[in-house]
Amino acid sequence: MSSVAVVLFTSDLRLHDNPVLRAALRDADEVVPLFVRDDAVHRAGFDAPNRLAFLADCLADLDAGLRDRDGRLIVRRGGTAREVKRVVEETEAESAHIAAGVSGYAAQREERIREALAGTGCDLRVHDAVVTALAPGRVVPTGGKDHFAVFTPYFRRWEAEGVRGTLTAPRTVRVPDGVSGDALPDRDTIKNLSPGLARGGEKAGRKLVTSWLHGPMADYEDGHDDLAGDATSRLSPHLHFGTVSAAELANRAREKGGPGGEAFVRQLAWRDFHHQVLAARHDASWSDYRPRHDRWRSDEDEIDAWRTGHTGYPLVDAAMRQLAHEGWMHNRGRMLAASFLTKTLYVDWRVGARHFLDLLVDGDMANNQLNWQWVAGTGTDTRPNRILNPVIQGKRFDPDGAYVRRWVPELAEVKGSAIHEPWKLAGPDRAGVDYPDPVVDLAEARSRFERARGLG
């Protein structure tokens, strides 16, 4: 009788460089590649349309890749622990494999699976360094602390530790006969998608990696903040769903080398940094990592202007409209939009984080929440009271206004850097410009924030 192992795919929807799949294939003659559409994700409101559509692409591509290797993907719907147990009992599997996660949900899921499998004779095996390049607990500070709270010392240890080697994709994946599953989700049935949403899947992700490594990455160090140039990898959705391996990406970027490669690897380390913080502090998903005793404001008109991209500050509005259209936003835009909400409008970071999670195809608890906290000054930023001025940011990172014109067509005829201060336009330059006045005065907003934080 053939031995059977179960592979529970979660945030590792790929065949290349997948330690979970490789370990299961070493363990058993046959493997059940399983993905569970967990009802708990729906109840938590985390199955936003953009991510559901990208997920549908990923699952279809994963199934196609498995079929090319004589296998197939089994999709079930329900509680993850219950469905894993059902598959184990149906196939008499001796082992089940899953990638380690860092969120509170991931920890609870692992525990529930372990409890469900107790007494079945099936071992649960959890694999590190699958979702991240380096396992969250791999490096820790001296003195008994369980995680690094500052990036720079973490990065020094991260670099010294090194990333694991890259694994090849399997040639064959044999699946036991008789294991049934539900139909794959259909992207075309999902409503309220961002119109410019990118396609998902490992094939698309690997194609994007190749084009990135052999072209734009060389200029990444100098160009990563150029909003109009869009000189970023756009790989974050693929890293979120695991269609691209963070470890493989770090290895290949290092092989290419150069200042651009080094700068890009540093960004991968930032991603790992946030994962190791959340692994140690699950409550940081929604609680202040470093409380500042803020008494946040809640002006619904201002919040709505921010959400819809009508604040009267062109760079902020351009970033928010890009988010609505693509389900993605340039990193410099994310920082500015978050700073504007939390420090200029002085609105709770959780309001912004929730809106981003509703739209971002790459939205996850580690990167979204902890980046929001970093900008809000309640997280790991060593300068918690810094404020990004949208006018200065615009003139620095979109000097001729090309990014703003792309996303704020009302200002398309405004020439040069004047586009970043449209309220100063007069006479013929102002005629025909249908754009709102600023929702707040920057100087007054700064004073309000500094008083609230006890700085003035």
Side-chain angles (χ1 to χ4, degrees), residues 381-399:
D381 188 4
T382 55
R383 293 172 54 199
N385 298 311
R386 80 174 83 201
I387 300 173
L388 299 182
N389 182 303
V391 176
I392 294 173
Q393 292 280 302
K395 292 180 178 180
R396 181 178 300 167
F397 300 115
D398 187 31

PDB file of all heavy atoms in Angstrom, residues 381-399:
ATOM      1  N   ASP A 381       9.207  52.569  14.422  1.00  0.00           N
ATOM      2  CA  ASP A 381       9.973  53.708  13.919  1.00  0.00           C
ATOM      3  C   ASP A 381      10.706  54.392  15.078  1.00  0.00           C
ATOM      4  O   ASP A 381      10.107  54.701  16.115  1.00  0.00           O
ATOM      5  CB  ASP A 381       9.037  54.709  13.243  1.00  0.00           C
ATOM      6  CG  ASP A 381       9.780  55.831  12.519  1.00  0.00           C
ATOM      7  OD1 ASP A 381      11.027  55.786  12.479  1.00  0.00           O
ATOM      8  OD2 ASP A 381       9.110  56.739  11.993  1.00  0.00           O
ATOM      9  N   THR A 382      11.984  54.631  14.898  1.00  0.00           N
ATOM     10  CA  THR A 382      12.771  55.294  15.949  1.00  0.00           C
ATOM     11  C   THR A 382      12.556  56.802  15.953  1.00  0.00           C
ATOM     12  O   THR A 382      13.063  57.490  16.847  1.00  0.00           O
ATOM     13  CB  THR A 382      14.268  54.993  15.771  1.00  0.00           C
ATOM     14  OG1 THR A 382      14.667  55.363  14.445  1.00  0.00           O
ATOM     15  CG2 THR A 382      14.541  53.503  15.979  1.00  0.00           C
ATOM     16  N   ARG A 383      11.814  57.311  14.963  1.00  0.00           N
ATOM     17  CA  ARG A 383      11.423  58.728  14.941  1.00  0.00           C
ATOM     18  C   ARG A 383       9.901  58.793  14.847  1.00  0.00           C
ATOM     19  O   ARG A 383       9.334  59.101  13.810  1.00  0.00           O
ATOM     20  CB  ARG A 383      12.075  59.448  13.763  1.00  0.00           C
ATOM     21  CG  ARG A 383      13.590  59.568  13.865  1.00  0.00           C
ATOM     22  CD  ARG A 383      14.184  60.116  12.565  1.00  0.00           C
ATOM     23  NE  ARG A 383      13.546  61.363  12.173  1.00  0.00           N
ATOM     24  CZ  ARG A 383      13.595  61.878  10.936  1.00  0.00           C
ATOM     25  NH1 ARG A 383      14.238  61.220   9.981  1.00  0.00           N
ATOM     26  NH2 ARG A 383      13.000  63.017  10.652  1.00  0.00           N
ATOM     27  N   PRO A 384       9.203  58.515  15.939  1.00  0.00           N
ATOM     28  CA  PRO A 384       7.752  58.316  15.882  1.00  0.00           C
ATOM     29  C   PRO A 384       6.945  59.558  15.539  1.00  0.00           C
ATOM     30  O   PRO A 384       5.756  59.446  15.223  1.00  0.00           O
ATOM     31  CB  PRO A 384       7.406  57.822  17.296  1.00  0.00           C
ATOM     32  CG  PRO A 384       8.502  58.354  18.158  1.00  0.00           C
ATOM     33  CD  PRO A 384       9.729  58.302  17.309  1.00  0.00           C
ATOM     34  N   ASN A 385       7.562  60.736  15.612  1.00  0.00           N
ATOM     35  CA  ASN A 385       6.798  61.966  15.383  1.00  0.00           C
ATOM     36  C   ASN A 385       7.085  62.624  14.041  1.00  0.00           C
ATOM     37  O   ASN A 385       6.679  63.751  13.806  1.00  0.00           O
ATOM     38  CB  ASN A 385       7.068  62.950  16.529  1.00  0.00           C
ATOM     39  CG  ASN A 385       6.614  62.384  17.858  1.00  0.00           C
ATOM     40  OD1 ASN A 385       5.499  61.899  17.984  1.00  0.00           O
ATOM     41  ND2 ASN A 385       7.491  62.404  18.854  1.00  0.00           N
ATOM     42  N   ARG A 386       7.777  61.919  13.167  1.00  0.00           N
ATOM     43  CA  ARG A 386       8.033  62.487  11.839  1.00  0.00           C
ATOM     44  C   ARG A 386       6.728  62.620  11.067  1.00  0.00           C
ATOM     45  O   ARG A 386       5.845  61.767  11.159  1.00  0.00           O
ATOM     46  CB  ARG A 386       9.048  61.640  11.076  1.00  0.00           C
ATOM     47  CG  ARG A 386       8.491  60.406  10.440  1.00  0.00           C
ATOM     48  CD  ARG A 386       9.527  59.680   9.585  1.00  0.00           C
ATOM     49  NE  ARG A 386      10.383  58.817  10.390  1.00  0.00           N
ATOM     50  CZ  ARG A 386      11.584  58.401  10.003  1.00  0.00           C
ATOM     51  NH1 ARG A 386      12.063  58.794   8.842  1.00  0.00           N
ATOM     52  NH2 ARG A 386      12.299  57.609  10.769  1.00  0.00           N
ATOM     53  N   ILE A 387       6.625  63.705  10.301  1.00  0.00           N
ATOM     54  CA  ILE A 387       5.439  63.976   9.491  1.00  0.00           C
ATOM     55  C   ILE A 387       5.891  64.187   8.048  1.00  0.00           C
ATOM     56  O   ILE A 387       6.815  64.959   7.795  1.00  0.00           O
ATOM     57  CB  ILE A 387       4.689  65.230   9.990  1.00  0.00           C
ATOM     58  CG1 ILE A 387       4.230  65.047  11.440  1.00  0.00           C
ATOM     59  CG2 ILE A 387       3.491  65.523   9.099  1.00  0.00           C
ATOM     60  CD1 ILE A 387       3.633  66.309  12.056  1.00  0.00           C
ATOM     61  N   LEU A 388       5.247  63.509   7.109  1.00  0.00           N
ATOM     62  CA  LEU A 388       5.568  63.683   5.700  1.00  0.00           C
ATOM     63  C   LEU A 388       4.670  64.769   5.109  1.00  0.00           C
ATOM     64  O   LEU A 388       3.440  64.626   5.089  1.00  0.00           O
ATOM     65  CB  LEU A 388       5.377  62.368   4.944  1.00  0.00           C
ATOM     66  CG  LEU A 388       6.245  61.191   5.406  1.00  0.00           C
ATOM     67  CD1 LEU A 388       5.989  59.967   4.531  1.00  0.00           C
ATOM     68  CD2 LEU A 388       7.716  61.545   5.394  1.00  0.00           C
ATOM     69  N   ASN A 389       5.282  65.843   4.662  1.00  0.00           N
ATOM     70  CA  ASN A 389       4.546  66.954   4.072  1.00  0.00           C
ATOM     71  C   ASN A 389       4.211  66.609   2.622  1.00  0.00           C
ATOM     72  O   ASN A 389       5.115  66.372   1.813  1.00  0.00           O
ATOM     73  CB  ASN A 389       5.414  68.218   4.136  1.00  0.00           C
ATOM     74  CG  ASN A 389       4.720  69.443   3.592  1.00  0.00           C
ATOM     75  OD1 ASN A 389       4.282  69.460   2.453  1.00  0.00           O
ATOM     76  ND2 ASN A 389       4.637  70.477   4.409  1.00  0.00           N
ATOM     77  N   PRO A 390       2.923  66.574   2.229  1.00  0.00           N
ATOM     78  CA  PRO A 390       2.565  66.132   0.880  1.00  0.00           C
ATOM     79  C   PRO A 390       3.068  67.051  -0.229  1.00  0.00           C
ATOM     80  O   PRO A 390       3.307  66.591  -1.348  1.00  0.00           O
ATOM     81  CB  PRO A 390       1.039  66.079   0.911  1.00  0.00           C
ATOM     82  CG  PRO A 390       0.630  66.964   2.035  1.00  0.00           C
ATOM     83  CD  PRO A 390       1.730  66.870   3.048  1.00  0.00           C
ATOM     84  N   VAL A 391       3.243  68.338   0.074  1.00  0.00           N
ATOM     85  CA  VAL A 391       3.755  69.259  -0.943  1.00  0.00           C
ATOM     86  C   VAL A 391       5.241  69.012  -1.173  1.00  0.00           C
ATOM     87  O   VAL A 391       5.712  68.882  -2.308  1.00  0.00           O
ATOM     88  CB  VAL A 391       3.503  70.720  -0.538  1.00  0.00           C
ATOM     89  CG1 VAL A 391       4.128  71.670  -1.572  1.00  0.00           C
ATOM     90  CG2 VAL A 391       2.008  70.987  -0.398  1.00  0.00           C
ATOM     91  N   ILE A 392       5.986  68.920  -0.084  1.00  0.00           N
ATOM     92  CA  ILE A 392       7.428  68.665  -0.188  1.00  0.00           C
ATOM     93  C   ILE A 392       7.681  67.301  -0.817  1.00  0.00           C
ATOM     94  O   ILE A 392       8.552  67.141  -1.687  1.00  0.00           O
ATOM     95  CB  ILE A 392       8.093  68.762   1.196  1.00  0.00           C
ATOM     96  CG1 ILE A 392       8.012  70.197   1.722  1.00  0.00           C
ATOM     97  CG2 ILE A 392       9.548  68.298   1.137  1.00  0.00           C
ATOM     98  CD1 ILE A 392       8.483  70.351   3.158  1.00  0.00           C
ATOM     99  N   GLN A 393       6.901  66.301  -0.390  1.00  0.00           N
ATOM    100  CA  GLN A 393       7.048  64.959  -0.961  1.00  0.00           C
ATOM    101  C   GLN A 393       6.765  64.960  -2.458  1.00  0.00           C
ATOM    102  O   GLN A 393       7.444  64.306  -3.244  1.00  0.00           O
ATOM    103  CB  GLN A 393       6.099  63.985  -0.252  1.00  0.00           C
ATOM    104  CG  GLN A 393       6.454  63.714   1.200  1.00  0.00           C
ATOM    105  CD  GLN A 393       7.575  62.705   1.344  1.00  0.00           C
ATOM    106  OE1 GLN A 393       7.479  61.581   0.867  1.00  0.00           O
ATOM    107  NE2 GLN A 393       8.658  63.104   1.989  1.00  0.00           N
ATOM    108  N   GLY A 394       5.754  65.715  -2.864  1.00  0.00           N
ATOM    109  CA  GLY A 394       5.418  65.796  -4.273  1.00  0.00           C
ATOM    110  C   GLY A 394       6.536  66.406  -5.097  1.00  0.00           C
ATOM    111  O   GLY A 394       6.907  65.890  -6.160  1.00  0.00           O
ATOM    112  N   LYS A 395       7.085  67.503  -4.621  1.00  0.00           N
ATOM    113  CA  LYS A 395       8.151  68.182  -5.363  1.00  0.00           C
ATOM    114  C   LYS A 395       9.424  67.345  -5.401  1.00  0.00           C
ATOM    115  O   LYS A 395      10.223  67.463  -6.334  1.00  0.00           O
ATOM    116  CB  LYS A 395       8.418  69.550  -4.743  1.00  0.00           C
ATOM    117  CG  LYS A 395       7.251  70.528  -4.934  1.00  0.00           C
ATOM    118  CD  LYS A 395       7.533  71.879  -4.299  1.00  0.00           C
ATOM    119  CE  LYS A 395       6.374  72.847  -4.550  1.00  0.00           C
ATOM    120  NZ  LYS A 395       6.625  74.170  -3.931  1.00  0.00           N
ATOM    121  N   ARG A 396       9.603  66.505  -4.405  1.00  0.00           N
ATOM    122  CA  ARG A 396      10.814  65.686  -4.350  1.00  0.00           C
ATOM    123  C   ARG A 396      10.673  64.410  -5.170  1.00  0.00           C
ATOM    124  O   ARG A 396      11.602  64.026  -5.895  1.00  0.00           O
ATOM    125  CB  ARG A 396      11.129  65.339  -2.891  1.00  0.00           C
ATOM    126  CG  ARG A 396      12.401  64.498  -2.718  1.00  0.00           C
ATOM    127  CD  ARG A 396      12.669  64.242  -1.240  1.00  0.00           C
ATOM    128  NE  ARG A 396      12.856  65.480  -0.509  1.00  0.00           N
ATOM    129  CZ  ARG A 396      12.868  65.577   0.823  1.00  0.00           C
ATOM    130  NH1 ARG A 396      12.675  64.492   1.557  1.00  0.00           N
ATOM    131  NH2 ARG A 396      13.036  66.735   1.410  1.00  0.00           N
ATOM    132  N   PHE A 397       9.529  63.730  -5.070  1.00  0.00           N
ATOM    133  CA  PHE A 397       9.401  62.409  -5.680  1.00  0.00           C
ATOM    134  C   PHE A 397       8.505  62.368  -6.920  1.00  0.00           C
ATOM    135  O   PHE A 397       8.398  61.329  -7.561  1.00  0.00           O
ATOM    136  CB  PHE A 397       8.900  61.405  -4.637  1.00  0.00           C
ATOM    137  CG  PHE A 397       9.832  61.276  -3.461  1.00  0.00           C
ATOM    138  CD1 PHE A 397       9.430  61.661  -2.191  1.00  0.00           C
ATOM    139  CD2 PHE A 397      11.115  60.796  -3.635  1.00  0.00           C
ATOM    140  CE1 PHE A 397      10.289  61.544  -1.104  1.00  0.00           C
ATOM    141  CE2 PHE A 397      11.984  60.680  -2.558  1.00  0.00           C
ATOM    142  CZ  PHE A 397      11.577  61.059  -1.287  1.00  0.00           C
ATOM    143  N   ASP A 398       7.886  63.499  -7.242  1.00  0.00           N
ATOM    144  CA  ASP A 398       7.119  63.628  -8.479  1.00  0.00           C
ATOM    145  C   ASP A 398       7.313  65.048  -9.001  1.00  0.00           C
ATOM    146  O   ASP A 398       6.350  65.818  -9.139  1.00  0.00           O
ATOM    147  CB  ASP A 398       5.635  63.333  -8.205  1.00  0.00           C
ATOM    148  CG  ASP A 398       4.792  63.279  -9.478  1.00  0.00           C
ATOM    149  OD1 ASP A 398       5.330  62.881 -10.534  1.00  0.00           O
ATOM    150  OD2 ASP A 398       3.602  63.645  -9.404  1.00  0.00           O
ATOM    151  N   PRO A 399       8.552  65.437  -9.263  1.00  0.00           N
ATOM    152  CA  PRO A 399       8.885  66.837  -9.485  1.00  0.00           C
ATOM    153  C   PRO A 399       8.136  67.513 -10.628  1.00  0.00           C
ATOM    154  O   PRO A 399       7.787  68.695 -10.518  1.00  0.00           O
ATOM    155  CB  PRO A 399      10.400  66.823  -9.739  1.00  0.00           C
ATOM    156  CG  PRO A 399      10.728  65.407 -10.096  1.00  0.00           C
ATOM    157  CD  PRO A 399       9.752  64.570  -9.344  1.00  0.00           C
TER     158      PRO A 399
END
